[in-house]
Amino acid sequence: MANLKIVETMHRSHHLIIFIIGLLLTASLNQALKAQTHTNSFQTSLTQDVVSNLEGGIQQGQAHMGLINIDLSLQTENLDLWDHGTFRVHIQNTYGQQPSSQLVGDIQVFSNIENKNCSYLYQFYYQHQWKNMSLLMGKQDLNERFFVSKPAGHFINSSLGIMPVASLNTPVSIFPSTTLGIVGCYQFSDQQSLQGAVYNGLPGKVTDCNFGTDLNLNIRNGLFHILEWHLQRNILSNPASIKVGGFYHSGKFQSPGDPRVTVRGASGLYLMIHQGIFREYEDHLRGMDLFLQIGHSPDPASLIDSHLTCGLTYTGLIPGAEKDQVGLALAHASLNNRLMNRHPAVYQVDETALEFTYKHHLTDELVLQPDLQYIIHPGMQTSTNNSVIGILRLHWTYND
């Protein structure tokens, strides 16, 4: 396979057209929203990654990929309907190459925007808010509300967003393939809340033809259930949060250790901790945060039986750059022992990603993010060498 090129002639015009369309939609929708009250919201963003596999993996080479978001929320009050309701329409376009599969071979996917070339309806739902409770119904990304860690969200590796004990073991409604779900949340107090959801068990495939409208509704695919408890409070005068959750998928799965064996149901538990270490000034964002995430899925059908993520971020480390974040993180996925024991010459016991990142805010809307990752045992394959990946991410956002 020939090395991927950073810029391919046939893709240049395609990407430019997509970007121009996004800008035109931004301008036109912005004018329409100005006639509404400020409670409506419109956001468009462009994320562009330039990637180089410097060493190891499948092969050395370069690649690029991008993500365009167009996200509109309308309040029912402004539509002269009822109060406390929100309609949301979220469209995405992804383009470029897929270096995880073509260059590196890692199973955790080192970039959280990697996808094939297509445009699709990403989220489309209605949410209603009561005093202490909310209910959401529609096509929705589970990872916007579950498995969410603010400090871990500064990193680029996909497994620092959604734990592989869920995303690699069962079909899950996440980027880029989302499906219908019902999400409920109850706020017990300012510090404590509980949220749960039920999703269609198998999201439909996103293709160039269906615009992401394949909901693939079939009760035989099972249902994905998830429950998550939140606690937020100050510990040692610094903000902290604890999330404890569990999930269960009622579908049928083949055992990775023996494809002839079919198992009903897959489940897992997880714990997420975020602890502020110190703040440079009282009530100021500048300072250090630590996070720890642990997931376990002992079921026979699980590909990943455990996952560990930990790291630290520092906001405002450099004087004069109070909004910038620098971070170091580790994501460790452990292979199901049944599969390892069946094919010891083929598989490694785990895959580990080490990531160092720096988010520099050029302006309020424009962020430049150099990133370096070291992938140990990419794809958990004995035939693939450890990989060193350099990424330069540019992220532009417009809000109104």
Side-chain angles (χ1 to χ4, degrees), residues 12-286:
R12 288 177 180 173
S13 59
H14 172 68
H15 298 161
L16 181 60
I17 290 171
I18 292 171
F19 182 60
I20 291 174
I21 290 174
L23 292 178
L24 290 175
L25 285 171
T26 301
S28 61
L29 286 175
N30 179 38
Q31 293 301 318
L33 286 173
K34 284 182 177 179
Q36 304 288 344
T37 68
H38 68 279
T39 53
N40 292 325
S41 67
F42 173 72
Q43 181 186 88
T44 185
S45 66
L46 170 66
T47 305
Q48 177 73 49
D49 284 355
V50 178
V51 176
S52 180
N53 185 34
L54 304 171
E55 181 181 323
I58 299 173
Q59 62 171 341
Q60 295 181 26
Q62 296 79 39
H64 71 107
M65 50 192 161
L67 168 66
I68 295 175
N69 281 291
I70 298 175
D71 194 354
L72 173 65
S73 295
L74 294 174
Q75 305 300 315
T76 52
E77 294 95 326
N78 297 329
L79 301 174
D80 294 327
L81 299 173
W82 52 89
D83 294 341
H84 310 302
T86 303
F87 289 102
R88 184 180 181 191
V89 181
H90 188 178
I91 298 171
Q92 289 188 335
N93 172 270
T94 53
Y95 59 89
Q97 295 139 341
Q98 296 176 278
S100 271
S101 59
Q102 297 169 324
L103 294 178
V104 181
D106 60 320
I107 196 171
Q108 297 184 89
V109 187
F110 68 81
S111 174
N112 53 19
I113 68 167
E114 180 172 326
N115 189 33
K116 58 187 177 182
N117 294 275
C118 58
S119 299
Y120 50 94
L121 180 64
Y122 179 49
Q123 298 190 94
F124 180 68
Y125 62 75
Y126 171 74
Q127 184 175 13
H128 197 86
Q129 182 72 47
W130 292 273
K131 183 177 180 181
N132 296 321
M133 179 180 174
S134 66
L135 186 66
L136 179 155
M137 295 176 289
K139 184 176 168 68
Q140 193 262 332
D141 183 350
L142 172 147
N143 198 210
E144 273 202 347
R145 288 169 170 79
F146 299 90
F147 295 99
V148 176
S149 168
K150 185 176 180 180
H154 294 305
F155 294 86
I156 291 177
N157 194 289
S158 298
S159 66
L160 289 160
I162 178 73
M163 286 192 190
V165 290
S167 61
L168 292 180
N169 289 341
T170 68
V172 185
S173 182
I174 56 173
F175 169 87
S177 299
T178 57
T179 188
L180 294 183
I182 300 176
V183 185
C185 178
Y186 187 82
Q187 193 80 29
F188 296 99
S189 66
D190 292 338
Q191 296 183 338
Q192 191 173 177
S193 64
L194 181 69
Q195 64 178 13
V198 179
Y199 290 90
N200 174 39
L202 184 61
K205 293 182 179 180
V206 176
T207 69
D208 295 333
C209 301
N210 66 20
F211 195 65
T213 58
D214 178 16
L215 299 179
N216 196 32
L217 300 178
N218 191 329
I219 193 63
R220 290 179 296 180
N221 295 327
L223 296 172
F224 184 90
H225 309 75
I226 186 167
L227 188 68
E228 190 175 278
W229 172 75
H230 297 185
L231 177 64
Q232 294 182 319
R233 58 178 302 175
N234 284 347
I235 298 178
L236 301 177
S237 301
N238 286 290
S241 70
I242 299 173
K243 298 181 180 181
V244 179
F247 61 88
Y248 174 75
H249 196 299
S250 62
K252 292 182 179 180
F253 302 93
Q254 288 184 331
S255 172
D258 188 350
R260 297 169 298 178
V261 177
T262 300
V263 179
R264 168 67 74 175
S267 61
L269 299 171
Y270 59 94
L271 169 68
M272 305 176 67
I273 300 173
H274 162 213
Q275 174 65 58
I277 301 303
F278 66 88
R279 292 292 182 265
E280 293 191 15
Y281 305 103
E282 187 177 356
D283 298 327
H284 200 281
L285 294 177
R286 292 178 62 182

